[in-house]
Amino acid sequence: MELTGAKIVIQSLLDLGVETVFGYPGGAVLYIYDEIYKEKKLTHILTRHEQGALHAADGFSRVTGEVGVAIVTSGPGATNAVTGLATAYMDSIPLVCITGQVPVPLIGNDAFQEADIVGITRSCTKHNFLVKDVKDLARIIREAFHIAKTGRPGPVLVDIPKDITIHKCEYVHTDSDVNIRSYKPNLKGHIGQIKRAITLLKASKRPMIYTGGGVVLSDAHKELFEFTSIMNAPITNTLMGLGAYPASDGRFVGMLGMHGTYEANMAVSHCDLLIAIGSRFDDRVTGKLEEFAPDAKIIHIDVDPTSISKNVNVDVPIVGDVKLVLEKINQLISTASFKKSKPDLSDWWEMVETWRKKDSLAYSQGESAIEAQYVIQTLCELTKGEAIVATDVGQHQMWAAQFYNFEKPRRWVTSGGLGTMGFGLPAALGAQVAKPNDKVVVITGDGSIQMNIQELATCLQYKLPVVIVILNNGFLGMVRQWQEFFYERRYAETDMMSHQPDFVKLAEAYNALGLRAKLPNEVEPVLKEALASDRCVIVDIHTRPEGNVYPMVPAGAALNDMILL
Amino acid sequence: MRHIISVLVENESGVLSRVAGLFSARGFNIESLTVAPVGDEETSRITLVSIGEDHIIEQILKQLNKLIPVLHVADLTDGPHVERELMLVKVTAEQSQRAEILRIADIFRSRVVDATPSTFTIEVTGDSGKLDACLSLLIPLGVTEMVRTGQVALSRGDKGLVKS
């Protein structure tokens, strides 16, 4: 059947199983939006900013595992999408972003709303395409989805000039696999390497498991649980890896790294074997590289070869999909002979328990000022650790990571790699669209929430009952904390108190519910009311202005060199 | 150490900027770069020279491999190989110097490809060291202009970059 380019875009999305897209219309995508208007099978969510559309598609993807889709126009629409693409790229989130472009004959002429978005996004996408012929359009869209979701996932951008969307060509639906001869990710781990890993696993007296976002992306949480049970080793998660292992399990020692727990960082510093799974030895995790896991042999399982031996030299690299590799390893260590020859770990566990007793996350809640930790702990109890929690970036994000105990994967939506303020609210609305029956909470700060506050309108338009908890300390808290510790309390431009909007009135202006707590005993009732509401709610919680995130490993220090409260 | 990296890529627009952009974005350096189609109209071959420690070069090879339109990457300096570069030099050639210039050209088995009453243009091929040596003799005589292609290289023996 002969279809226009615009119709091919929509039909391709439907044929690929897409039901929901996030976007914002504009001149260059008018024909595409005309087809969206006519096609009732595709739900379009109109955000209030293109950045919001990208983060919403990102949040949608994080909670479902599916490819998130966003459509924006050319020029400023496309450049507004860049932060969303970079955020997804750093966290390996599969997205397809369709951008409009000026008509092919005008490209390069500085036409109205023209931007070289393929050039601009080359380094913040996994791949990008400019469609120059309508005959390539359907193939390129299929390839974009394939590239986005396979191997190490990531965002892919498809730039479509306006004239391509009215040109016609034959469209045939095909289910056949995409074949790109230069792109064949290695998914099955090398069996020789796996056997070398088994030898190390068998001999280790102080094994430590350190897992990242790769376990979530690969949906390998069951395999991870089995592996950890057989090994009976302590396990820590990175910020991105939270939820891949149930926090209530005794083997879990919390998050590691800059704001990780004492026991997690000490265990990594003292283990004799570190098993890194779907993690990438980020600088916020390792601290001073020379002193990271100094006594340990390292096994590293990752689908992306460039992650291996990038920052830390590893002894046994295994390139492959985490789920497939763990399945194979589990099979090989489930044998009686492995279990029999494995050393007794009770001395190791005794060390870990001693560290754990230090209770490095302890805080005390007085009667006058609200501690942020208390708010999150209460929220976690009220939601039984089962809410979908999105965050922005800063102190509140670290407190959420430390005090919200995730039992399940794909409930934690946070910008880990890029650290994008303004991510939380749009990502949460994307998650709520994907999971209408789940409770979605945004934990944010008074700084971050103002970066994409316009998405409140989107929440209201689509009746998304997102609960927004603002930990309002009147500061850009994390920057202020660094200024307090390392810049002799010179609080340069981090005071947000003056000219802060009244967040309750702001909520009401958007026709959302606005609630406030100023005293510790108001926290629980206010959170209960918010969680019970079927409307979008802002909860403005005034917390102690100079609260700090502990423990903290100063930038560049070794992991066992922590500032404790 | 100096490495010659051969990259086989899909012959499509934007590939060169993806490769070059990777080097600038990740702080790797490029000493020289050449690119041309290899004859089948679908693939091009990029030859890069980069200087760096082994772990940096290893990252470069992996990062290049990760680019979607890259078919194959090899570090030719890992094994025996031949390398060649071509240089064109325009030398001031007044009457008194003409014989001397021709003698130098002869020593380096190079050819005069253009001549005017006041200049010679000389074509030299060889490895980079030979080109450097030739140039150092010509500079004192007055070099008006020169251009070098950057290195190209192939591994020795019967095997190619891609098993056919």
Side-chain angles (χ1 to χ4, degrees), chain A residues 21-25 33 44-48 455 457-458 461-462:
Chain A
V21 299
F22 300 86
Y24 204 101
Y33 271 83
H44 179 276
I45 306 289
L46 173 69
T47 56
R48 294 304 188 267
E455 299 308 333
T458 314
Q461 179 179 346
Y462 298 96

Side-chain angles (χ1 to χ4, degrees), chain B residues 86-106:
Chain B
L86 183 144
M87 172 171 75
L88 296 173
V89 199
K90 194 177 282 179
V91 199
T92 327
E94 298 303 337
Q95 199 57 46
S96 61
Q97 291 181 338
R98 293 180 86 87
E100 171 68 4
I101 292 167
L102 292 175
R103 259 198 306 277
I104 294 170
D106 194 40

Side-chain angles (χ1 to χ4, degrees), chain A residues 117-366:
Chain A
I117 200 62
V118 167
I120 289 169
T121 59
R122 208 162 266 150
S123 59
C124 63
T125 53
K126 185 171 173 186
H127 195 55
N128 56 21
F129 296 92
L130 170 63
V131 184
K132 281 184 157 171
D133 188 331
V134 70
K135 291 194 200 77
D136 298 328
L137 182 56
R139 174 184 57 79
I140 285 175
I141 292 174
R142 272 158 43 81
E143 288 186 0
F145 274 77
H146 175 71
I147 291 169
K149 69 185 179 196
T150 53
R152 178 177 178 174
V156 179
L157 180 136
V158 182
D159 198 24
I160 309 177
K162 189 171 185 180
D163 52 341
I164 301 290
T165 61
I166 37 169
H167 291 169
K168 283 185 171 179
C169 84
E170 198 65 26
Y171 175 82
V172 188
H173 170 56
T174 163
D175 276 328
S176 63
D177 286 344
V178 173
N179 181 21
I180 305 169
R181 65 172 180 154
S182 59
Y183 175 72
K184 308 268 184 231
N186 190 1
L187 299 180
K188 263 177 71 181
H190 189 278
I191 188 68
Q193 292 296 86
I194 291 177
K195 284 185 176 154
R196 284 180 60 206
I198 303 284
T199 311
L200 293 180
L201 293 175
K202 202 186 271 185
S204 171
K205 294 190 176 87
R206 299 191 307 278
M208 177 75 194
I209 302 168
Y210 141 55
T211 78
V215 178
V216 179
L217 292 166
S218 160
D219 288 314
H221 50 281
K222 286 199 187 105
E223 290 74 11
L224 177 66
F225 192 83
E226 191 189 343
F227 174 72
T228 310
S229 306
I230 301 173
M231 288 302 296
N232 188 30
I235 174 171
T236 179
N237 291 161
T238 67
L239 179 71
M240 292 307 298
L242 293 173
Y245 195 86
S248 60
D249 188 85
R251 297 190 186 91
F252 186 64
V253 293
M255 183 172 75
L256 83 166
M258 184 171 271
H259 293 295
T261 65
Y262 184 71
E263 54 269 37
N265 286 343
M266 291 303 274
V268 167
S269 300
H270 289 83
C271 65
D272 68 357
L273 177 66
L274 186 68
I275 306 132
I277 308 174
S279 50
R280 60 184 179 91
F281 299 86
D282 177 78
D283 58 282
R284 287 296 192 263
V285 159
T286 61
K288 191 176 184 182
L289 277 175
E290 298 77 42
E291 291 171 39
F292 178 73
D295 307 326
K297 294 254 190 227
I298 300 178
I299 298 169
H300 188 186
I301 307 169
D302 204 291
V303 75
D304 177 8
T306 67
S307 287
I308 286 172
S309 294
K310 182 172 65 181
N311 302 330
V312 172
N313 264 326
V314 305
D315 300 279
V316 182
I318 305 174
V319 176
D321 180 71
V322 165
K323 190 182 175 87
L324 297 178
V325 173
L326 277 181
E327 266 172 16
K328 187 72 202 165
I329 290 179
N330 287 345
Q331 187 192 327
L332 293 171
I333 63 176
S334 302
T335 59
S337 76
F338 179 88
K339 285 175 188 163
K340 213 190 300 167
S341 57
K342 208 167 99 45
D344 175 51
L345 300 183
S346 46
D347 288 352
W348 176 227
W349 270 111
E350 207 170 296
M351 286 168 80
V352 174
E353 293 307 336
T354 316
W355 293 320
R356 203 194 308 249
K357 279 203 192 84
K358 198 129 189 169
D359 196 8
S360 60
L361 296 180
Y363 68 94
S364 64
Q365 175 59 64

